[in-house]
Amino acid sequence: MSEAGAGSPIRVLVADDQELVRAGFCVILDATDGITVVGEAANGVEAVAAAAARKPDVVLMDIRMPGMDGLEATRLITGNRQEAGPKVVMLTTFDLDDYVYEALRAGASGFLLKDAPRRDLIAAVRAAAAGDALLAPSVTRLLIEAFARRPPATTPSPSRLASLTARERDTLLLLARGRSNAEIAGDLFVSEATVKTHIGHLLAKLGLRDRVQAVILAYETGMVVPGTPE
């Protein structure tokens, strides 16, 4: 799947079992310049099939759906690391829904509250399509910190970061603190293009899909400790 470029609209798939909610998201997104809805799904099975057929750039995925839920659907959609797949943004009614922790592990790029303002919905789609994920909002940073306190059975070793250069480690540290590319560029006295290059290199070296997974790894390896001052 080709990435959404400057001249092509961001292709979005909306998956939610509530028809009115799904229709509302579709109306808002289809009316937004630079975004087009390419499909809808009422459950996880339909979402996986639609993602394969429609090749969206971004999937808005409800966590709780009948049959196959959004968590399993996200695993299946993001599971093929041999090709660039869509970015998945989870939809939830609670800002710290327990399922969100597992959704991030499954490959989701972030999450959005269903009652978020229109501008936040549009911004989330654009951020996900750009690969920026959803790290800036304070509630998301709280989510990631809370997530980091629930390590998997086997905690990643700090040695996994050994392949990174000093500048790549600096970039990862700033990512984990919720900095934007522009802010990282300012902190490191480099251009935004250079920051993007560093991020691309560290994601490739660590075998990660996006910034969210990089941030999670930074917390899990102890590079950043939740709640400590910056």
Side-chain angles (χ1 to χ4, degrees), residues 39-112:
E40 300 180 36
N43 56 56
V45 173
E46 291 182 6
V48 172
R54 303 291 183 176
K55 305 298 184 184
D57 301 301
V58 177
V59 178
L60 292 180
M61 181 79 76
D62 187 18
I63 290 180
R64 296 187 179 97
M65 293 186 289
M68 181 189 291
D69 63 14
L71 186 61
E72 180 61 22
T74 296
R75 287 195 186 99
L76 292 174
I77 290 172
T78 64
N80 187 356
R81 296 179 182 274
Q82 301 304 312
E83 60 180 50
K87 300 299 175 66
V88 178
V89 177
M90 307 303 298
L91 299 171
T92 180
T93 53
F94 302 101
D95 56 356
L96 289 179
D97 190 313
D98 283 344
Y99 286 103
V100 175
Y101 304 112
E102 293 305 316
L104 292 175
R105 291 196 192 281
S109 294
F111 81 107
L112 182 71

Side-chain angles (χ1 to χ4, degrees), residues 23-196:
F25 283 134
C26 290
V27 168
I28 291 171
L29 295 173
D30 260 337
T32 302
D33 289 341
I35 298 176
T36 184
V37 176
V38 297
E40 300 180 36
N43 56 56
V45 173
E46 291 182 6
V48 172
R54 303 291 183 176
K55 305 298 184 184
D57 301 301
V58 177
V59 178
L60 292 180
M61 181 79 76
D62 187 18
I63 290 180
R64 296 187 179 97
M65 293 186 289
M68 181 189 291
D69 63 14
L71 186 61
E72 180 61 22
T74 296
R75 287 195 186 99
L76 292 174
I77 290 172
T78 64
N80 187 356
R81 296 179 182 274
Q82 301 304 312
E83 60 180 50
K87 300 299 175 66
V88 178
V89 177
M90 307 303 298
L91 299 171
T92 180
T93 53
F94 302 101
D95 56 356
L96 289 179
D97 190 313
D98 283 344
Y99 286 103
V100 175
Y101 304 112
E102 293 305 316
L104 292 175
R105 291 196 192 281
S109 294
F111 81 107
L112 182 71
L113 299 182
K114 285 190 178 183
D115 60 357
R118 175 190 303 248
R119 65 178 180 276
D120 288 355
L121 169 64
I122 295 169
V125 168
R126 287 176 171 160
D132 290 336
L134 306 176
L135 298 179
S138 58
V139 67
T140 304
R141 294 182 63 185
L142 289 173
L143 168 68
I144 293 174
E145 289 196 357
F147 166 85
R149 296 190 184 98
R150 298 186 174 195
T154 302
T155 302
S157 168
S159 63
R160 184 175 176 186
L161 305 179
S163 63
L164 302 183
T165 66
R167 187 46 59 93
E168 288 165 355
R169 288 178 66 92
D170 291 341
T171 301
L172 177 57
L173 179 62
L174 292 171
L175 274 181
R177 290 175 174 167
R179 299 287 202 277
S180 67
N181 284 359
E183 290 169 335
I184 294 173
D187 288 342
L188 298 182
F189 302 102
V190 297
S191 68
E192 285 190 55
T194 299
V195 171
K196 290 180 180 179

